[in-house]
Amino acid sequence: MFLLNILSKHEKKLLRCLGKIEFRVNGKKSLGSASIVKSLKFPLIATAAHCIYDWESKRFYDRVEFSPYSKDFKRSFKPVLAVIPKDWAEHGVVDYDTGFLVFDSESLTIIDSDELGIPVAFNRPLNQEYLVSGFQNVLLPSKKPLISRGIAHPDFFKNSSLQGVRSKGKSGMSGGPWFTEVEGEYIQNSNTSLSMKSVKNTLWGPYWGETIEATYQVASGELLNDSRVLVHKY
């Protein structure tokens, strides 16, 4: 964990894609983290699937909004479409705790992908070094991101495909992006899913493999549908 002023000029540009996701659980407001990611046609919002869908009640949250950090959280946008892996929706499998949100054309004029968005990559090697970012919501919602840097390690505790990075981040970090450098450029390659009480100071994120790639492709319009993916219109 470190302060923003320790980031290089190159790394500070990553902060432009950050944002918060707001959703309602039994009428109570909850906050998570999110990011603006690029696609071939339009920007998407990436976050944790559990910030979009409650697998226990088997329903999408009614009120979901995204507020970009670049606008100092003064603007919020409501999605028109949500796309998540079916394994999360049907069984709550944390290995697939990633979702993507699509917004209308008016919102996309403000959520500028070229200026704010981060490229994504899938099926990358394990044990990469990551910058993990998000907004804590412990006592009061944070206006500044918490950033941690570390090399990801496998989940030897629950034997999932999750990867862990050392971080003191807590509530509110869910959905926050994981950045890794590829050939001199940063891409997003995961998002925060959870922390474990049995493993202190570690945040866990899903491996972005074929299923999450298909989820992204359906959200971006590259695929019309996929049997592994669930689509919801608001």
Side-chain angles (χ1 to χ4, degrees):
M1 182 179 66
F2 53 95
L3 299 175
L4 297 183
N5 58 11
I6 299 179
L7 291 176
S8 70
K9 185 177 180 180
H10 179 51
E11 292 168 341
K12 284 182 179 179
K13 292 181 179 179
L14 297 171
L15 305 182
R16 296 182 297 186
C17 79
L18 301 181
K20 291 185 180 183
I21 199 85
E22 179 182 317
F23 54 103
R24 300 275 172 167
V25 181
N26 297 322
K28 184 179 180 180
K29 182 174 76 172
S30 293
L31 291 171
S33 300
S35 58
I36 303 167
V37 300
K38 294 182 177 181
S39 76
L40 292 177
K41 298 181 179 180
F42 43 74
L44 303 170
I45 303 305
T47 187
H50 75 258
C51 295
I52 301 172
Y53 182 91
D54 181 4
W55 76 270
E56 292 182 329
S57 64
K58 298 293 185 290
R59 66 179 183 84
F60 284 87
Y61 297 124
D62 295 327
R63 296 179 61 181
V64 176
E65 296 183 10
F66 171 73
S67 298
Y69 177 49
S70 64
K71 304 297 180 183
D72 198 25
F73 309 117
K74 293 180 180 179
R75 297 292 299 271
S76 62
F77 304 91
K78 296 180 180 180
V80 296
L81 202 72
V83 188
I84 62 173
K86 281 186 178 177
D87 275 326
W88 167 260
E90 296 175 357
H91 307 293
V93 180
V94 292
D95 305 63
Y96 305 107
D97 191 10
T98 296
F100 298 96
L101 298 172
V102 182
F103 292 79
D104 60 26
S105 57
E106 182 179 349
S107 300
L108 296 180
T109 62
I110 300 172
I111 305 173
D112 186 338
S113 177
D114 291 334
E115 179 186 355
L116 306 176
I118 183 78
V120 295
F122 304 91
N123 306 299
R124 296 289 304 168
L126 299 173
N127 307 321
Q128 299 293 298
E129 182 178 56
Y130 285 100
L131 288 175
V132 175
S133 183
F135 298 92
Q136 293 200 99
N137 186 32
V138 181
L139 297 177
L140 294 172
S142 175
K143 293 184 178 181
K144 297 292 183 181
L146 173 73
I147 300 177
S148 305
R149 189 196 302 268
I151 296 175
H153 57 83
D155 173 17
F156 295 120
F157 306 93
K158 296 185 181 296
N159 297 316
S160 71
S161 62
L162 295 176
Q163 300 182 84
V165 169
R166 295 282 294 175
S167 174
K168 293 185 178 180
K170 300 183 184 298
S171 175
M173 297 292 288
S174 291
W178 289 29
F179 306 118
T180 189
E181 195 170 8
V182 178
E183 298 179 354
E185 295 295 330
Y186 276 100
I187 53 93
Q188 182 170 344
N189 186 228
S190 186
N191 61 271
T192 296
S193 173
L194 51 83
S195 59
M196 302 180 190
K197 290 183 179 180
S198 57
V199 188
K200 293 184 178 180
N201 298 328
T202 300
L203 291 176
W204 298 89
Y207 176 74
W208 278 17
E210 293 180 359
T211 297
I212 294 177
E213 181 178 22
T215 307
Y216 167 83
Q217 290 174 333
V218 170
S220 67
E222 294 178 47
L223 290 177
L224 290 178
N225 55 64
D226 189 284
S227 61
R228 298 165 289 183
V229 172
L230 183 64
V231 179
H232 174 71
K233 293 183 179 180
Y234 291 98

